[in-house]
Amino acid sequence: MKIILKEYLASLKERGDLDKSVLPNLLSEIGLRVLNTPMIGTRQNGVDIAAVGKIKGEEKQRYLYLFCIKAGNISRSDWSAGVQAVRPELDEIRDVYLRSNVAREHADLPIKICLCCGGELEETALMNWAGYTDRYTTDKISYEEWNGDRLADLMMRCLLARELLEEEPRRNFQKAVAMVNEPNVCYEYTRAFLGNLLLEEHSSQKDQLLRLRQSFICLHAVISWAIEANNLESTYRVSELGMLFCWNLIRKREPKKRPTKHEETLTFIFDQFLKLYLTTSEMYLEKTAYAHGGTPHALSVAVRSRESVDVNLAMFELLGRLATRGIWTDLLSKRLPDADPYFLKSLTESTNRTLDTLVSVINSNPALSSPIRDDHMIEIALVLYLAQLTQSESRFLPWLKSISHRTTFALITNSQYPTCLRDYADLLAHPESADQSYLDEACVGSILYPYIYFWMQYVADEREIKEFTERLKKKIPNCTHQAWFPDEESDDLMWCGETHHGICVTDVSPHNGHEALVETLNKAIETCAAISDVSAVRTGLIPMFLTACRHYRLPIPPSFWFLRK
């Protein structure tokens, strides 16, 4: 276990990984109070993290800890110059930070200046370090080296110790790390150790925070190893899963004008899970959709399969991930008005880039106009939801019109029309037969056709609408057209993957006409009011709810089909 942790720590980058994700959680758990974490664009005066307190089991008096953090190993070439230069920052701590940045309440505390790195201080730099510390050590100021071995020891003792991290989550975590090259297997083992840590009842608030920190550290380690193995599929899936599990644990908080210290810490940890998800999603999309979305058929060919089913499934998965990221960045840009202007600008630019990429991907990959699974309605609805948020529906309505034509034409020609079958073997063989009995089985129910029909009043003329409904009536007259709403149990079940909940509204057949469909949906929205009590919706984090729907294949409720303006 310690070897795994040391390798993980050595691979971390200073900015954003070791200094923002790992070390603050570790310091909090070993008994220190973190005073500040680094911010981009501000002067640090040599100190990346400041903390105060005494380390449990090691010290009897309080210290002011000042951490100078570096990535990987520190060699002689890093001592005085370069990106990782150590000495200039140590000098700045003495000359600037200690003179002007120490709060009055901490002025009398003895000081420990810690050179922290995920790797080790190489032999070539040891003499420089020894000479420097010998020269500047005083009765009040001392120096310590916190290398990967020291950090791994603290993690083993305070976060992942055998008496704290039980055998089952420890074993599942190690298996997840070992299988980062296999996305499905890595996902299942990650789900297992997150479930071990976060789904059980916690006896105290302290235990709850410990489990969340353990989960984040383990998840971060899995993602780091997956990045090292160049497997971004694993990083995306497990980071999204971790965010949903974290939300499940903290969702019962009630917003207060003056939150307690425990609630503030929960919010901080959740922000770390969310940032990890947004970072990994950007890495994934940068290598896929952003890079190759505008090249005709490039992403489809990259699936590397002779089966059209594989291409179809992969492309809709990518489409959903793109739309979900755009929804998140749009929300954050509107919800953080007091944030740094450059950060807000980057969020807006990211949303616009995502929209442009969605258009390019759709235009460059015709498979996205012919969904093979009925639940691809989820991805289509997410794209249209983002389009409405950004007032860019007109860019996607021609695509929706193409879907309405191709899906029903596929029914007429009996060629890979949308089916509610989900088993991969069934999809490969679909359609097995042109018999009505098979059609009734393959299209026993549909969430896709009611959604398409709902939007056809904005994209099609009367002739096209009539043709659409007549084809459905002719080929799948027994199909139950339906929509889904959460119920009172959904908020307790959906975040961890339970799908047997919710309310099914079945009287939404296109055969009844647009007015009847809209009337039924409006009545259902008024009646099925439990969606307002879903924690993410209630607190304004609608993207969290939509992410869970996509992740666990729950239909997008009609409440998000059309935004009233």
Side-chain angles (χ1 to χ4, degrees):
M1 185 69 162
K2 186 174 179 181
I3 294 174
I4 291 176
L5 291 176
K6 286 182 67 176
E7 289 288 334
Y8 156 62
L9 289 165
S11 70
L12 295 181
K13 298 177 182 178
E14 171 198 354
R15 185 64 66 195
D17 284 341
L18 188 57
D19 58 356
K20 284 191 176 181
S21 300
V22 176
L23 201 56
N25 283 305
L26 180 59
L27 295 178
S28 296
E29 202 55 46
I30 64 178
L32 303 183
R33 179 165 65 92
V34 177
L35 301 177
N36 71 280
T37 55
M39 296 178 63
I40 296 175
T42 60
R43 183 173 176 179
Q44 307 296 329
N45 294 329
V47 176
D48 293 299
I49 294 179
V52 66
K54 53 185 177 181
I55 298 176
K56 291 184 290 189
E58 289 188 8
E59 298 164 344
K60 294 183 180 180
Q61 70 174 102
R62 298 171 76 237
Y63 287 88
L64 174 62
Y65 284 88
L66 306 177
F67 290 91
C68 174
I69 302 173
K70 301 298 173 185
N73 295 337
I74 299 174
S75 64
R76 184 178 180 182
S77 61
D78 298 319
W79 182 255
S80 298
V83 179
Q84 286 240 106
V86 173
R87 177 163 185 156
E89 293 199 14
L90 294 178
D91 288 342
E92 202 167 3
I93 293 175
R94 287 188 304 102
D95 299 338
V96 182
Y97 191 93
L98 293 180
R99 294 177 183 272
S100 59
N101 288 64
V102 178
R104 183 174 298 178
E105 60 183 301
H106 304 135
D108 296 330
L109 292 177
I111 297 167
K112 286 190 177 184
I113 299 175
C114 304
L115 177 59
C116 180
C117 62
E120 60 183 24
L121 192 62
E122 294 182 1
E123 187 177 357
T124 56
L126 279 175
M127 292 182 65
N128 300 77
W129 170 249
Y132 188 94
T133 55
D134 181 66
R135 180 178 180 182
Y136 293 110
T137 297
T138 65
D139 292 339
K140 185 175 182 179
I141 302 174
S142 59
Y143 291 82
E144 288 187 358
E145 175 194 350
W146 284 40
N147 58 20
D149 196 69
R150 163 79 162 154
L151 295 175
D153 273 335
L154 289 172
M155 290 172 70
M156 290 289 291
R157 193 179 79 206
C158 300
L159 273 175
L160 308 179
R162 287 189 178 275
E163 62 269 20
L164 296 177
L165 187 61
E166 298 172 357
E167 186 62 30
E168 188 173 359
R170 176 189 292 267
R171 187 169 60 248
N172 287 324
F173 163 62
Q174 291 172 328
K175 289 178 179 178
V177 169
M179 300 303 292
V180 290
N181 276 319
E182 297 291 336
N184 290 334
V185 181
C186 179
Y187 176 87
E188 291 302 327
Y189 282 127
T190 301
R191 180 179 177 82
F193 79 69
L194 288 175
N196 296 146
L197 292 172
L198 300 181
L199 296 186
E200 298 176 359
E201 291 295 326
H202 305 290
S203 57
S204 64
Q205 292 183 345
K206 184 178 179 180
D207 183 50
Q208 185 184 53
L209 290 177
L210 172 63
R211 294 302 184 94
L212 279 169
R213 289 184 177 124
Q214 288 175 330
S215 300
F216 181 80
I217 293 294
C218 290
L219 183 66
H220 201 285
V222 171
I223 289 172
S224 296
W225 280 79
I227 293 173
E228 188 78 16
N230 200 29
N231 193 331
L232 297 182
E233 176 69 17
S234 292
T235 68
Y236 183 93
R237 294 183 64 190
V238 300
S239 65
E240 189 171 71
L241 179 72
M243 179 181 66
L244 294 174
F245 269 63
C246 176
W247 177 258
N248 179 65
L249 189 64
I250 71 171
R251 62 186 167 82
K252 293 183 180 179
R253 300 170 306 156
E254 291 295 334
K256 299 177 181 178
K257 291 184 178 180
R258 291 186 177 181
T260 63
K261 183 179 178 181
H262 174 72
E263 291 167 342
E264 289 178 344
T265 307
L266 285 179
T267 300
F268 173 75
I269 295 176
F270 171 70
D271 286 345
Q272 289 184 312
F273 275 92
L274 175 57
K275 288 175 183 176
L276 186 61
Y277 163 69
L278 292 174
T279 301
T280 54
S281 68
E282 183 174 15
M283 290 175 61
Y284 170 83
L285 294 171
E286 196 70 52
K287 289 280 188 178
T288 54
Y290 292 153
H292 307 291
T295 305
H297 308 290
L299 294 171
S300 298
V301 172
V303 178
R304 295 183 180 179
S305 174
R306 297 180 180 179
E307 298 292 342
S308 60
V309 170
D310 293 328
V311 175
N312 199 279
L313 296 177
M315 292 308 303
F316 272 96
E317 181 70 24
L318 178 62
L319 192 75
R321 293 177 182 183
L322 260 174
T324 304
R325 177 172 175 80
I327 293 169
W328 269 111
T329 54
D330 181 76
L331 170 94
L332 293 174
S333 66
K334 295 172 181 174
R335 188 163 177 169
L336 304 173
D338 300 327
D340 180 77
Y342 293 103
F343 178 62
L344 291 176
K345 182 181 178 182
S346 68
L347 287 173
T348 303
E349 289 175 349
S350 178
T351 304
N352 293 334
R353 186 187 187 191
T354 300
L355 281 167
D356 292 340
T357 304
L358 279 168
V359 174
S360 298
V361 169
I362 290 170
N363 291 338
S364 302
N365 299 273
L368 290 171
S369 294
S370 302
I372 194 172
R373 274 176 39 169
D374 188 76
D375 65 353
H376 283 157
M377 168 267 185
I378 299 169
E379 284 75 24
I380 298 169
L382 289 174
V383 172
L384 266 294
Y385 183 77
L386 173 61
Q388 292 178 83
L389 287 177
T390 55
Q391 298 181 348
S392 54
E393 304 97 299
S394 59
R395 303 179 71 181
F396 298 95
L397 294 183
W399 169 58
L400 199 64
K401 184 175 181 179
S402 176
I403 292 175
S404 69
H405 174 73
R406 290 194 179 194
T407 51
T408 54
F409 185 74
L411 278 172
I412 297 295
T413 58
N414 195 44
S415 59
Q416 291 191 322
Y417 48 84
T419 174
C420 59
L421 303 175
R422 293 193 182 185
D423 186 81
Y424 181 68
D426 292 337
L427 291 173
L428 280 178
H430 176 70
E432 288 185 1
S433 168
D435 294 343
Q436 189 61 44
S437 58
Y438 177 79
L439 272 165
D440 290 342
E441 179 185 356
C443 301
V444 65
S446 176
I447 57 175
L448 174 64
Y449 291 123
Y451 181 82
I452 294 174
Y453 184 69
F454 173 83
W455 274 94
M456 285 193 74
Q457 61 180 311
Y458 303 101
V459 302
D461 55 35
E462 291 186 10
R463 180 188 60 80
E464 291 168 325
I465 293 174
K466 183 178 180 181
E467 182 182 57
F468 180 84
T469 54
E470 286 181 348
R471 285 176 174 179
L472 293 181
K473 194 170 185 179
K474 177 181 177 181
K475 300 302 294 185
I476 49 173
N478 300 319
C479 177
T480 303
H481 299 279
Q482 53 199 286
W484 178 84
F485 287 88
D487 62 12
E488 290 76 9
E489 296 181 341
S490 295
D491 196 40
D492 292 326
L493 300 175
M494 68 178 297
W495 307 108
C496 299
E498 178 60 58
T499 57
H500 297 290
H501 56 86
I503 299 170
C504 180
V505 178
T506 58
D507 193 19
V508 290
S509 173
H511 312 322
N512 299 330
H514 266 297
E515 291 185 5
L517 174 67
V518 172
E519 182 181 357
T520 301
L521 291 177
N522 284 335
K523 287 182 179 178
I525 290 172
E526 293 176 7
T527 305
C528 305
I531 192 169
S532 302
D533 296 325
V534 174
S535 55
V537 178
R538 187 178 66 249
T539 56
L541 279 179
I542 291 174
M544 182 68 69
F545 174 78
L546 297 177
T547 300
C549 287
R550 191 195 62 77
H551 191 92
Y552 296 122
R553 310 311 298 166
L554 293 169
I556 305 299
S559 309
F560 304 104
W561 286 12
F562 187 79
L563 303 183
R564 294 174 175 85
K565 299 174 183 177

